[in-house]
Amino acid sequence: MKQLLQTTHTLQAPPHKVWAAISQATGVHEWLPVITACRVEGNQRICATAQGEMHETILRVDHDHRLFRYAIDQQPLLPVENFVGTMQVRPHGDHTLLLWDGEFSMPDESQFAMVRQALEGLYAAGAQGLERISQ
């Protein structure tokens, strides 16, 4: 069964700077603490973590709508499969609303509470990192 986790973060930073950090795709290690290094080869993004490599496919980079969508093809962090993440940047006065969603399936749905807590923490840390580098 597909699970959907939706989060919204208000960042004290201009939307164009937040979008620039997200849309470049290669600098994830600068704003997401779990990532230690990152590179992009075509539409493939490979990120290093302390637990091993994470392989992603960049599905969509829509500059007009400031929307970034990616699929996680392989990752060592959580017991999830078929993960598709979407990040959207919206203006909110002088600040930014970051909508960050994850859709995924789980082999063992009894672990959903743990996965939700881990993803919410990861997304919050990422939002804080984006805010820090975008001011």
Side-chain angles (χ1 to χ4, degrees):
M1 178 175 179
K2 282 282 191 186
Q3 301 288 344
L4 177 64
L5 177 72
Q6 298 177 302
T7 64
T8 303
H9 311 271
T10 302
L11 284 62
Q12 307 298 311
H16 71 278
K17 288 187 177 183
V18 175
W19 175 244
I22 293 169
S23 65
Q24 73 172 338
T26 57
V28 179
H29 59 285
E30 296 173 7
W31 53 266
L32 189 59
V34 72
I35 304 298
T36 57
C38 184
R39 70 183 190 279
V40 174
E41 299 171 1
N43 71 336
Q44 300 298 302
R45 180 164 65 182
I46 299 97
C47 297
T49 75
Q51 291 80 16
E53 281 192 342
M54 184 161 51
H55 294 257
E56 300 176 342
T57 301
I58 298 169
L59 301 173
R60 183 174 172 197
V61 181
D62 182 337
H63 293 287
D64 292 333
H65 296 100
R66 293 183 178 156
L67 184 118
F68 186 92
R69 183 167 288 137
Y70 59 97
I72 300 178
D73 306 313
Q74 173 189 335
Q75 54 83 23
L77 303 173
L78 294 170
V80 298
E81 300 173 340
N82 307 311
F83 190 100
V84 175
T86 303
M87 300 175 81
Q88 187 167 22
V89 172
R90 293 186 182 165
H92 184 65
D94 293 337
H95 307 302
T96 298
L97 277 183
L98 171 63
L99 290 80
W100 196 349
D101 303 341
E103 186 176 359
F104 52 91
S105 55
M106 300 184 63
D108 180 359
E109 291 191 21
S110 71
Q111 295 184 325
F112 178 72
M114 180 274 295
V115 168
R116 181 183 66 230
Q117 183 178 10
L119 284 174
E120 286 174 346
L122 236 130
Y123 288 178
Q128 289 173 354
L130 282 165
E131 181 178 74
R132 178 181 42 78
I133 69 165
S134 300
Q135 291 180 337

